[in-house]
Structure formats: structure tokens, C-alpha cells
Amino acid sequence: MEMNTALFVLGAYLIGSISFAVVVSKLFRLDDPRSYGSKNPGATNVLRTGNKKAAILTLLGDGAKGFVAVFLAKVFGPDLGLNETGIALVAIAVFLGHLYPVFFRFIGGKGVATALGILLAIDWRLGLATLATWLIVAYAFRYSSLSALVAAVFAPFFYVLMFEIDAIALSIAIMSILLLFRHQKNIANLLAGKETRIGSKKK
């Protein structure tokens, strides 16, 4: 891996490691999102506090870091020798940063908002198609986890339909697999009928 590519990948991982759920919760003097509900540091869990502003800021922050990392790689990377494979690696790196943040003992979120930010940066149509899938399932069933799982499955197919099978398609498939892996408990809860719905208060 060339030095510039390595620097972009490292920078993306560090950006991804900023856990907005934890940061925003501290700013709003809320409980640590890793201590209640699903114990997942993400917008859906922060929403369980009843503080919608904090949840929205968490959602925007987690989405923005995915978008910014990939957008910067696409805009400035080519002049610094970053090719398509390099951009794909940046996408995976910022996603892994969110899942396993170095600043928070490698205990991170499930990656839904960050993945959306990444997809929007890759191509806005891809991001909107995936977001529409999430919204449709969320509206119909009111399960954030189910919406994320369905959107994750469709995202790689949306990309291939719009473009082709390439390094970026592979990176999206890898992110989808990681997202499914991080939702193992949610899958079990869904099958058992124990999954909490969107907007449920924390216990």
C-alpha cells in the first residue's frame, strides 16, 4: 500500500472512531448510551432517552463522518495517487472505525448511519435508494434493526445495478456483512419477538 493511501486509510479510521453517541450524550448530560437499552452507541439507542435533539445530532454526526472520509478521498485522493481500490479501503476503514473505535476501547456502534454516509459519498443515488429501503421497512414494521438488515442486503445490489462489480462494490458487500454480523443479537430478538420498536423508552 502506498504511503498516501495508507495515510488516507488511517485518517478515515480515526474519523470513524469518533463516537457521536457518546460525545453528544456527554454534551446533553445524558447517560452513557453503552449503559442502557441495547447498549449500542447509536442514534436509535440515544432516542430511548426521549431526547430527540441528541438522537438527531448523533445520527447526523455518525452519518457525516462516513460521508466526509469518503468524500475527501474521492476529491483529493486521485491527485495523491489514490485509486478506486484506495477509495474502497477508505470506506471500509471509516466503517471499521465506527464499529471498533480506538478512542472508546474498540466498543462502537453497529454502523447504520455511518454506512449511509459512505454510500451517499460514493453516489447520492445509491445513498438515497438505500435510505428509501430503510424508511419503507421502518414505516411498515417500526423496527430499526430490521430496516438496517434489509437495507444492508440491498445496498450491494443497488450499486451493481447502477455501476458494475468492482472494488467499491466489494467494499459495500464487506460493510453489509459486518453490519449483519453486528446485528446478531437483534436478529435473535426479532425471531423471538423481543426486539424493541423505534421510539421505545430506555429501561
Side-chain angles (χ1 to χ4, degrees), residues 8 12-13 43 65 73 75 88 117 119 128 132 137 148 153 158 172 176 196 198:
F8 267 102
Y13 173 74
K65 66 185 181 184
V75 173
L119 296 178
L128 289 183
V137 178
V153 170
F158 287 150
I172 295 172
S176 294
T196 55
I198 296 173

Side-chain angles (χ1 to χ4, degrees), residues 13 17-19 22 26 32 34 41 96-109 182:
Y13 173 74
S17 291
I18 302 171
S19 179
V22 177
K26 287 183 178 179
D32 189 318
R34 296 167 294 181
L96 286 174
H98 179 79
L99 300 187
Y100 308 103
V102 67
F103 305 130
F104 297 93
R105 299 180 181 179
F106 303 101
I107 301 173
R182 295 287 284 187

